[in-house]
Amino acid sequence: MKSVLNRLAALTVATVGVIGLTTAPAQAATEITAHLEIGFNNGVPAARTINLSVHVPMNEYDANGYLIHGARIQVRFYGSDPGSDPLLYGPVTWYKDDYGLTAGPDGIHLDYGWEVPQGSFLNEDSGFANNGDEVYIVAKFIDGDGATISAQSNTEEGLY
């Protein structure tokens, strides 16, 4: 009887090991990329267009799981200045079902755009010697437990 129980225990351990090998482990969010684009709307006088693109690569199953369990993407705008980079705007946070935030086959994406008038928060170097504005974003992916990864975008330059 004891040898039968030992064989059953060994078979159970082997089966669990095989099942564990065939089941893909959950993929932790370890990377994030961010891109900022600021343009001009030709149809509206002096309007500036802002387009954000943030990507957190992972499989679709995990992407949906993260969003269902409270993950979010948070964005802050900064001015690029010598010595310090002042916070210009934010944080702006997107949650599951917010417009622009999606889970897809290659991970979580935030693709969002809007317009602001000239002289808005993007005008970070206003004054007598305004040589232009330099703006970038810092995007954070915050999972449901509060773990955070972040990325800084490219810097957009212009007169905003």
Side-chain angles (χ1 to χ4, degrees):
M1 179 73 173
K2 188 174 182 182
S3 66
V4 170
L5 289 177
N6 285 340
R7 283 188 220 151
L8 282 174
L11 181 61
T12 301
V13 169
T15 302
V16 169
V18 169
I19 291 172
L21 289 175
T22 60
T23 304
Q27 185 176 356
T30 58
E31 294 179 42
I32 182 173
T33 59
H35 182 76
L36 171 65
E37 185 177 312
I38 301 173
F40 301 94
N41 184 337
N42 295 330
V44 178
R48 304 300 185 251
T49 60
I50 302 170
N51 291 296
L52 307 175
S53 179
V54 179
H55 180 222
V56 183
M58 65 183 69
N59 67 53
E60 188 169 9
Y61 179 82
D62 290 337
N64 281 303
Y66 270 110
L67 293 178
I68 288 168
H69 290 95
R72 56 209 177 269
I73 291 180
Q74 190 175 80
V75 174
R76 288 180 170 87
F77 287 79
Y78 291 91
S80 180
D81 290 325
S84 71
D85 290 354
L87 175 66
L88 302 176
Y89 188 74
V92 182
T93 306
W94 286 263
Y95 295 89
K96 179 185 177 300
D97 297 329
D98 284 347
Y99 182 79
L101 185 63
T102 59
D106 63 341
I108 297 172
H109 288 271
L110 172 64
D111 292 306
Y112 193 82
W114 74 98
E115 292 182 354
V116 296
Q118 183 174 5
S120 70
F121 69 90
L122 295 175
N123 185 13
E124 58 100 21
D125 280 334
S126 60
F128 178 73
N130 187 358
N131 296 329
D133 303 299
E134 306 83 34
V135 179
Y136 66 91
I137 62 170
V138 172
K140 289 184 179 181
F141 174 75
I142 307 165
D143 73 15
D145 295 327
T148 302
I149 57 174
S150 63
Q152 181 175 317
S153 75
N154 56 299
T155 300
E156 285 284 284
E157 298 179 10
L159 292 172
Y160 306 129

